[in-house]
Amino acid sequence: MKYVDRVIEEYKVKDASQPEFIQAMEEVIKSVEVIFDNHPEYENMAILERLLEPERTIKFKVPWIDDKGVTHVNRGYRIQYNSALGPYKGGIRFHPSVTESVLKFLGLEQTFKNALTNLPMGGGKGGSDFDPINKSELEIMRFCQSYMTELYRHIGENVDVPAGDMGVGAREIGYLFGQYRRITGASDRGVLTGKGVGYGGSLVRTQATGYGILYLATEVLKKFNIDPKGKRTIISGSGVVGTYAAEKATELGLKIVGMSDITGYILDEDFDINIIKELQKKKPFVFKDYVKVAQRGEFFPGSIYDTDVKVDIVMPCATQNEINLERARRLVKNGMFMMAEGANMPNSNEAIEYFLKNDIIVVPGKAGNAGGVATSGLEMTQNSTRLYWSAEEVDSKLKDIMHNIHQQCLTIMDEYNIDQKNYVAAANIAGVQKVIDAMIAQGDY
Ligand code: NDP
Ligand code: 2IT
């Protein structure tokens, strides 16, 4: 049996209770098989196993008291996946679906994504099964403080630098940072990224993931001589990533015809993201109020991927596994020619396979959403130099990084004779090879 197949089979048994992790590891390993065909010596060095095992998994309890005085206990995690390229780096997710499996899939992907940015960052991910929905401001603060009360001893600007992810934005990072500072007495700005701009955060970090998707997607379209103007686009998720993907898409002339959140989706031939941005300022943010304010469009409960709408480009920016094979078939039937992932693993492996077989351009999350962590890397640089850059400067560095990711994919496509639409294999090979080279050079076995 081939080395890659043997390891996949072994991990399917060993981690049978971790479906998201198995999905992510199978997707990556299968698409980089050629690396292992070219390097039979990697088997003796157990390179795959060394990539797949996190260096460290930290699990802890997070007790907190709600506004009624009732105590709750959530599960907290930080998975320090791989530090061959630099300090562990990756977000923290607060969502009821968080498990060790989800964080392992995210940490594994983060390791290769971070490698693509060419910045000195290893991979990690953390989070909790805490549900921030319907929690008061004080409950959120107390939860963040309790989570940091354990986490602080495991992180540091040269050790592990968490940031936001689903359910964790600038507000939560502020509370987490405040607690870190209080406990340690050290004002190490570089210990977390995604901070508020007034106390060490970088301009453009909030927008970076969404903007980055569009910077990369427009380069890809240019390669195929496709004008982005007027291309019918749907975006799922109206959180941090979806909102700024929609803002940049609008600025670049794409035509957004639908957006969604967990409650449902809105179809509007003239979708205006500014209305969503205004509604987000109100607490609670009620997505379907868009229709009332815009006085056009229609709200539907359910998934945007279960509807028939003519579409050219799809940018899933919500969560993992939103698109299964059936939904993938529907998108292709409805005219989609490009899938640009904003979320991490929004498509099932079968959906990706179907897209590639049907000649669809596929830009994976590891490349598409790398602008977020890349700008976190730029925040770390600003923190350690104690000099802050203008929005234009950060944005221009972000564009350069996304351009460079595209160039890496093109080089790999040529070198390995990969289909020009298959950015999945190209990005995976580029990221994985860098981490392998660093691990071997450092002899960490
Ligand atoms: P947010 O929490 O800000 O937003 C998530 C959005 O997705 C919300 O609109 C949420 O709706 C919606 N959503 C959640 N679950 C579902 C579902 N099952 N169906 C439809 N919509 C859903 O998270 P982010 O924008 O930060 O993250 C989105 C994705 O992007 C995640 O995969 C994350 O890992 C990835 N990512 C984030 C980066 C960042 O910098 N923040 C960087 C790189 C990747 P509601 O609010 O109603 O629950
Ligand atoms: O998935 C991701 O890349 C993020 N959530 C951002 C991580 C970071 O460290 O900025």
Side-chain angles (χ1 to χ4, degrees):
M1 197 190 256
K2 266 179 141 182
Y3 176 41
V4 295
D5 295 324
R6 172 173 69 77
V7 171
I8 289 173
E9 288 317 308
E10 281 173 11
Y11 273 81
K12 277 186 172 171
V13 175
K14 221 188 315 199
D15 289 326
S17 61
Q18 300 184 342
E20 294 85 1
F21 170 66
I22 287 173
Q23 180 183 340
M25 72 100 188
E26 197 167 13
E27 184 266 335
V28 175
I29 297 183
K30 275 312 238 182
S31 70
V32 301
E33 209 168 340
V34 58
I35 295 182
F36 294 88
D37 292 342
N38 292 347
H39 290 277
E41 74 278 14
Y42 284 177
E43 180 165 6
N44 257 348
M45 299 163 89
I47 289 292
L48 273 174
E49 294 88 329
R50 285 160 58 196
L51 282 173
L52 292 177
E53 287 299 330
E55 288 174 17
R56 200 168 296 102
T57 299
I58 302 152
K59 275 167 93 168
F60 50 95
K61 70 172 174 187
V62 191
W64 59 280
I65 299 176
D66 71 18
D67 290 342
K68 296 192 187 98
V70 179
T71 304
H72 302 263
V73 178
N74 283 93
R75 288 188 175 167
Y77 305 86
R78 183 71 184 167
I79 302 198
Q80 299 182 328
Y81 226 104
N82 190 301
S83 59
L85 294 177
Y88 308 105
K89 180 84 197 86
I92 294 174
R93 177 178 290 193
F94 292 163
H95 195 273
S97 65
V98 164
T99 59
E100 192 171 332
S101 169
V102 166
L103 296 178
K104 272 178 74 182
F105 113 65
L106 288 163
L108 183 70
E109 298 221 321
Q110 194 81 50
T111 301
F112 305 128
K113 179 199 309 190
N114 294 3
L116 283 176
T117 68
N118 275 345
L119 295 171
M121 302 184 291
K125 203 87 191 186
S128 173
D129 57 1
F130 173 73
D131 187 355
I133 302 285
N134 296 328
K135 300 293 185 299
S136 73
E137 188 76 24
L138 284 176
E139 288 171 334
I140 300 276
M141 185 174 78
R142 286 196 291 272
F143 182 80
C144 289
Q145 290 173 338
S146 183
Y147 180 84
M148 185 52 88
T149 299
E150 172 60 32
L151 187 70
Y152 87 94
R153 71 192 82 232
H154 306 290
I155 60 176
E157 60 187 10
N158 293 312
V159 179
D160 183 357
V161 183
D165 192 82
M166 288 175 79
V168 178
R171 174 181 64 168
E172 290 73 16
I173 293 292
Y175 295 146
L176 291 164
F177 179 66
Q179 184 72 351
Y180 178 84
R181 201 170 47 69
R182 212 168 287 122
I183 296 176
T184 60
S187 204
D188 307 331
R189 293 301 194 248
V191 73
L192 289 167
T193 61
K195 297 177 293 296
V197 170
Y199 60 92
S202 174
L203 289 163
V204 193
R205 172 62 189 89
T206 309
Q207 297 88 342
T209 312
Y211 284 11
I213 301 163
L214 269 297
Y215 294 151
L216 182 58
T218 44
E219 286 219 16
V220 173
L221 289 173
K222 199 164 156 199
K223 179 177 92 171
F224 291 102
N225 287 321
I226 298 170
D227 184 355
K229 296 229 161 33
K231 290 293 169 293
R232 298 174 62 83
T233 302
I234 58 178
I235 295 179
S236 58
S238 356
V240 179
V241 179
T243 301
Y244 292 101
E247 183 178 89
K248 188 55 81 178
T250 306
E251 189 187 315
L252 295 173
L254 285 85
K255 182 180 167 67
I256 298 175
V257 295
M259 257 189 107
S260 69
D261 82 347
I262 189 88
T263 60
Y265 62 96
I266 292 163
L267 298 182
D268 176 7
E269 283 294 303
D270 244 332
F271 196 90
D272 182 356
I273 187 60
N274 289 315
I275 296 178
I276 293 289
K277 285 177 71 185
E278 277 307 309
L279 289 170
Q280 283 168 347
K281 291 181 191 156
K282 291 198 202 140
K283 302 278 175 224
F285 158 52
V286 183
F287 179 66
K288 68 176 175 192
D289 281 356
Y290 174 95
V291 177
K292 256 195 272 167
V293 177
Q295 300 201 326
R296 55 167 200 269
E298 204 173 339
F299 172 83
F300 305 88
S303 168
I304 194 165
Y305 299 115
D306 288 333
T307 187
D308 280 312
V309 53
K310 286 278 158 229
V311 65
D312 297 312
I313 299 173
V314 174
M315 298 185 190
C317 297
T319 189
Q320 63 270 11
N321 286 327
E322 259 204 289
I323 302 170
N324 56 17
L325 181 58
E326 193 190 329
R327 290 175 174 174
R329 285 202 178 105
R330 186 188 289 271
L331 289 171
V332 173
K333 187 187 86 190
N334 287 324
M336 180 190 81
F337 68 77
M338 182 180 190
M339 161 59 62
E341 295 184 341
N344 290 307
M345 205 168 76
N347 289 288
S348 72
N349 291 352
E350 295 73 29
I352 295 282
E353 225 170 275
Y354 183 78
F355 294 143
L356 292 172
K357 272 197 195 126
N358 283 275
D359 212 27
I360 305 296
I361 306 168
V362 186
V363 180
K366 283 184 219 77
N369 70 35
V373 72
T375 308
S376 278
L378 301 178
E379 184 170 326
M380 289 163 73
T381 306
Q382 294 172 79
N383 291 151
S384 48
T385 58
R386 295 163 199 258
L387 289 172
Y388 289 88
W389 301 329
S390 66
E392 292 70 29
E393 210 165 339
V394 178
D395 195 37
S396 135
K397 287 183 164 63
L398 169 63
K399 269 187 203 145
D400 287 349
I401 291 169
M402 299 316 291
H403 172 74
N404 184 271
I405 290 176
H406 190 225
Q407 291 304 311
Q408 290 176 58
C409 290
L410 297 186
T411 305
I412 296 283
M413 282 170 176
D414 283 350
E415 197 176 324
Y416 290 88
N417 208 8
I418 293 168
D419 186 284
Q420 290 291 320
K421 294 186 174 170
N422 186 355
Y423 283 83
V424 178
N428 282 342
I429 292 172
V432 169
Q433 187 68 62
K434 263 187 241 185
V435 180
I436 294 176
D437 290 347
M439 284 191 334
I440 292 176
Q442 294 171 41
D444 64 353
Y445 57 98

